[in-house]
Amino acid sequence: MAGHSEDPNADQQYHLEVGPADIADTVLLPGNPERIDKIVAHWDEYEEQASHREYRTATGTYEETPISVTSTGIGGPSAAIAVEELARVGADTFIRVGSCGALQEEMAVGDLVITTGGVRQEGTSDEYVREDYPASADYEVVCALVAAAERLGYDYHTGVTMSADAFYPGQGRPGFEGFEAAGSTELVDELRDANVKNIEMEASAIMTIASIYGLRAGAVCSVYANRETGEFRTEGESRSAETASLATHLLAKMDAVKREVGADRWHAGLSLE
């Protein structure tokens, strides 16, 4: 295989160190490289393809459907690099799989949040498009994630996600020695009152970039913390991993149905079987 290069047409990508033969059409995008082990535990089989910096990649099958996973590290900038380089080697669908803080009182730790749209509080997507461009999850990805959560019997919520650049003041937490950024103390209340469901750090960048390029993207996150009740537990990670994996299988079924009937988009009037 040729050496890695910044040339977008190169066989191997500069940061991810993967090529077209290494990647399936759909790629799951966790932040933490260690989360990959929990994701592939749900698959039929897998093979690790590359590990470079925060980017670790594996490819295999789930219910005989080809599937890949690449860790992105924390935040929009590194997630954007992953989407860019994966798209350049043939990926066309991206599902962010992560953890989040819930903003609504009724959302329990361990529940899933399936993102329908994003508040672009991160700065990465501003480098791509004007700030009033929406961060929208792809309709088919949302439908597949909802169908997967239903089939698996997991409690889930759908709605708007805010993606932040900073974990502490950027999400309404105090910084070092109690530092409070302007507006940070009101942030959680304002988002909750606007019916925003959760906060995390990558989804809006991933969805915005995918939308610009005509690719599919969405997100499913496990609730680790409820910012209204103060509850915190690292719970539900396996649920988001399994839901995203099954959603990949369902997306493949959607694509097959579209080809069979000659439709451009899957819709609720078409079968998933």
Side-chain angles (χ1 to χ4, degrees):
M1 182 175 288
H4 55 262
S5 168
E6 293 186 76
D7 177 0
N9 298 312
D11 290 337
Q12 191 178 56
Q13 293 301 303
Y14 179 65
H15 297 90
L16 273 60
E17 296 190 345
V18 296
D22 302 323
I23 298 298
D25 292 343
T26 297
V27 185
L28 310 188
L29 299 176
N32 186 352
E34 294 180 0
R35 189 168 288 149
I36 286 183
D37 295 322
K38 298 179 181 179
I39 292 172
V40 299
H42 297 283
W43 296 3
D44 309 326
E45 59 183 1
Y46 74 94
E47 182 176 345
E48 190 150 338
Q49 303 296 327
S51 183
H52 184 228
R53 302 188 186 187
E54 61 265 62
Y55 304 108
R56 181 183 171 199
T57 298
T59 294
T61 60
Y62 177 89
E63 298 290 332
E64 300 183 353
T65 297
I67 185 172
S68 291
V69 58
T70 295
S71 58
T72 66
I74 297 175
S78 58
I81 289 172
V83 173
E84 285 279 359
E85 296 192 1
L86 289 165
R88 293 174 186 193
V89 295
D92 60 22
T93 303
F94 305 92
I95 302 177
R96 153 101 171 115
V97 184
S99 58
C100 67
L103 298 173
Q104 305 300 325
E105 186 173 5
E106 69 275 10
M107 299 170 70
V109 169
D111 285 0
L112 301 178
V113 182
I114 297 169
T115 299
T116 58
V119 179
R120 292 171 49 206
Q121 195 69 16
E122 43 73 32
T124 300
S125 59
D126 291 344
E127 301 291 323
Y128 283 80
V129 70
R130 51 188 290 164
E131 64 182 13
D132 55 358
Y133 185 94
S136 299
D138 179 82
Y139 168 77
E140 292 177 347
V141 175
V142 172
C143 289
L145 287 168
V146 168
E150 286 282 351
R151 292 187 182 198
L152 294 168
Y154 294 149
D155 292 330
Y156 67 93
H157 310 265
T158 61
V160 175
T161 294
M162 189 197 86
S163 298
D165 265 343
F167 183 81
Y168 291 99
Q171 298 186 33
R173 299 182 178 93
F176 176 61
E177 293 187 339
F179 170 78
E180 293 181 354
S184 66
T185 55
E186 299 86 17
L187 177 65
V188 169
D189 288 342
E190 290 176 357
L191 293 170
R192 183 194 65 238
D193 292 347
N195 202 30
V196 175
K197 300 299 184 184
N198 62 323
I199 303 177
E200 52 79 77
M201 299 183 70
E202 294 83 21
S204 70
I206 292 168
M207 295 186 303
T208 299
I209 295 166
S211 180
I212 290 168
Y213 292 158
L215 306 172
R216 299 188 296 196
V220 56
C221 289
S222 303
V223 173
Y224 274 13
N226 186 300
R227 301 295 299 277
E228 183 69 12
T229 66
E231 186 180 11
F232 177 84
R233 294 194 309 276
T234 54
E235 186 174 309
E237 190 173 36
S238 178
R239 295 172 201 162
S240 57
E242 187 176 12
T243 299
S245 298
L246 177 54
T248 299
H249 177 60
L250 297 177
L251 282 164
K253 287 190 171 186
M254 289 179 182
D255 293 341
V257 169
K258 288 188 295 183
R259 289 191 296 270
E260 182 179 344
V261 302
D264 292 330
R265 298 288 288 175
W266 185 88
H267 57 80
L270 297 176
S271 172
L272 260 179
E273 301 302 330

